[in-house]
Amino acid sequence: MKKRYWFSFCLGLLVSCQTLKKEGLKDRFESDFYLGSAVNLAQVTGREPGADSLLTLHFNSITSENGLKWGPVHPKSNEYNFEFGDAFVAIGERMGAFIVGHTLVWHQQTPAWVFQDGEGKFLSRQDLVFRMEEHISEVVGRYKGRIHGWDVVNEAFEDDGTWRKTHWYSLIGEDYIKIAFEKAHEIDPEAALYYNDYNVWKPEKRKAILAMATQLRNQGVRIDGIGMQGHYRLNTPSLEQIEQAILDIHEAGFQVHVTELDIDVLPRPSDSEGADLTINYAASEEWNPYQTGLPKEIEEKLVERYASLFALFQKHADKISRVTFWGLHDGRSWLNNWPVRGRTNYPLLFDRNLKLKEGFVQTPGVK
Ligand code: GLA
């Protein structure tokens, strides 16, 4: 049933695309939630042919994939680089999109100097707070009124619900999150503010996130929503686990944002949680089995998985504000390089030629 529903949706969509040349995926979900895509530098600067029109037709929200993370946007203490950010906001405005900045405070893609003084010693709490607030003021301030929502803090918790022992946590303490949200709100009072994390479907982790967010809100801090990164696989997590997360976030009084949606179709080495995966894997057929194309039966599973997910999201459209894919098309997905570098993965709706995958279309003659 669900599968057929999805097929007819895609079919209807494509027929309308062909005839009216103006209805895209976003239009199908217009009354449900924003449909978003993460975007990169080549896409926002027009250097990737076709990206601009694909984005404009199918999406009404965009998120910065890497370009507004600390490393790219603030590489040295006295140097900011807004090339990406300016182009990102410009294309978002041309699209009339809901524009999401990702991310202000995170433990990754943050240069080592951020936490150190000139002699390489760790900063005091006070100095690190100062540096974090300065960064937030610069970045949020530059796009005040133009970036509509911010992932203020990313990934502060471990899967078991304990605090991730990042430099932010160790040098400032738990309230680094509160300070970050307060500063972002002070700089742009209109912007929506989110906490974003992966594996929110895991109950222990979700409990910790919601306790933190509820405490902030009770202290009068603005926090609008929880971003559940949707880095899913074909069989896990289950729909029930995802649904419970949606229900719990809503019940706690926060908007649900399905962020970073993609579906990994490749086998994963069992030690893939570790950081030390090497090129050895990439050379092996075993970990890169679909270099010349995705087999029909796997594509069918991918279609079925997306169909079930979107049926679930539509069922809870009253709770979900946005669903954002982590990348515009397969060729640009981070999953070509994680957890094994240099693979050919197929996690998104659009293939490497920027075409909606054939598996989503059931009738011959409709391209
Ligand atoms: C996390 C981050 C994203 C991105 C992905 C992998 O989910 O939030 O910004 O780095 O990892 O690309």
Side-chain angles (χ1 to χ4, degrees):
M1 265 302 268
K2 284 176 187 161
K3 193 167 173 179
R4 237 178 315 163
Y5 179 72
W6 174 259
F7 286 153
S8 54
F9 141 61
C10 285
L11 179 60
L13 164 70
L14 287 174
V15 170
S16 343
C17 285
Q18 298 239 314
T19 50
L20 304 174
K21 297 276 184 227
K22 68 177 170 55
E23 185 168 275
L25 288 171
K26 66 179 186 327
D27 305 302
R28 173 63 186 80
F29 297 105
E30 199 176 9
S31 58
D32 299 325
F33 34 70
Y34 285 118
L35 197 70
S37 173
V39 289
N40 64 27
L41 184 64
Q43 290 160 349
V44 299
T45 52
R47 284 179 229 156
E48 181 174 308
D52 196 315
S53 48
L54 195 72
L55 281 167
T56 306
L57 178 61
H58 292 296
F59 298 96
N60 51 18
S61 176
I62 55 172
T63 299
S64 51
E65 183 176 5
N66 285 300
L68 290 177
K69 290 172 180 171
W70 195 307
V73 80
H74 189 181
K76 297 189 184 143
S77 62
N78 54 358
E79 186 183 312
Y80 285 85
N81 179 349
F82 291 116
E83 184 198 357
F84 171 87
D86 291 357
F88 167 68
V89 169
I91 189 176
E93 288 179 344
R94 278 205 308 281
M95 291 166 63
F98 185 81
I99 304 175
V100 181
H102 172 87
T103 175
L104 297 168
V105 179
W106 191 26
H107 61 288
Q108 297 209 42
Q109 292 177 259
T110 303
W113 65 261
V114 172
F115 306 102
Q116 298 167 358
D117 65 15
E119 283 149 24
K121 291 214 261 352
F122 282 124
L123 295 180
S124 65
R125 169 184 156 92
Q126 195 187 358
D127 288 348
L128 186 56
V129 166
F130 181 82
R131 191 163 271 175
M132 181 175 85
E133 291 191 323
E134 191 180 50
H135 174 84
I136 293 173
S137 302
E138 281 294 324
V139 180
V140 175
R142 185 173 181 96
Y143 302 113
K144 181 177 177 183
R146 302 178 71 196
I147 285 189
H148 307 113
W150 279 100
D151 289 339
V152 178
V153 175
N154 202 31
E155 303 178 354
F157 292 96
E158 302 284 358
D159 281 4
D160 64 3
T162 57
W163 286 88
R164 190 186 289 279
K165 306 299 182 299
T166 64
H167 291 327
W168 297 115
Y169 176 86
S170 310
L171 298 172
I172 299 179
E174 291 178 9
D175 61 343
Y176 83 87
I177 299 192
K178 181 178 185 212
I179 298 168
F181 274 85
E182 283 179 337
K183 183 48 85 174
H185 181 57
E186 178 196 322
I187 301 299
D188 189 350
E190 301 300 317
L193 304 179
Y194 315 120
Y195 173 84
N196 190 53
D197 213 326
Y198 62 85
N199 289 351
V200 177
W201 56 269
K202 293 195 173 179
E204 312 77 43
K205 188 168 195 170
R206 183 167 67 247
K207 201 169 153 206
I209 291 169
L210 291 178
M212 172 277 293
T214 303
Q215 193 184 16
L216 287 193
R217 195 190 42 208
N218 291 345
Q219 292 169 352
V221 178
R222 175 165 186 171
I223 172 164
D224 297 82
I226 305 297
M228 312 198 297
Q229 296 179 19
H231 297 303
Y232 300 142
R233 304 188 66 196
L234 284 173
N235 301 316
T236 63
S238 70
L239 290 178
E240 290 71 25
Q241 287 169 317
I242 298 171
E243 181 165 40
Q244 195 56 54
I246 295 169
L247 293 170
D248 288 357
I249 294 170
H250 178 74
E251 172 74 21
F254 299 101
Q255 298 169 7
V256 179
H257 291 251
V258 179
T259 62
E260 309 193 21
L261 180 60
D262 48 30
I263 297 171
D264 188 354
V265 300
L266 295 182
R268 205 175 267 191
S270 58
D271 56 351
S272 65
E273 295 302 317
D276 195 22
L277 281 170
T278 67
I279 202 83
N280 298 340
Y281 281 121
S284 119
E285 285 273 315
E286 186 187 358
W287 301 115
N288 193 15
Y290 311 133
Q291 293 173 52
T292 53
L294 190 62
K296 265 260 152 321
E297 74 269 17
I298 309 286
E299 184 161 306
E300 275 169 19
K301 284 192 185 151
L302 180 72
V303 170
E304 178 64 39
R305 180 74 162 145
Y306 270 125
S308 325
L309 283 170
F310 272 85
L312 179 68
F313 298 156
Q314 285 193 299
K315 175 177 168 196
H316 294 293
D318 59 324
K319 308 171 187 69
I320 296 177
S321 303
R322 174 173 55 99
V323 177
T324 290
F325 288 90
W326 206 238
L328 184 55
H329 62 88
D330 288 345
R332 290 296 192 163
S333 169
W334 72 294
L335 288 171
N336 294 307
N337 290 299
W338 190 92
V340 178
R341 281 206 297 276
R343 296 197 294 182
T344 307
N345 211 332
Y346 303 82
L348 298 165
L349 296 191
F350 293 92
D351 69 16
R352 285 170 168 72
N353 297 315
L354 278 61
K355 293 261 181 300
L356 192 62
K357 287 180 189 171
E358 195 160 326
F360 294 101
V361 182
Q362 288 303 287
T363 304
V366 179
K367 295 196 187 101

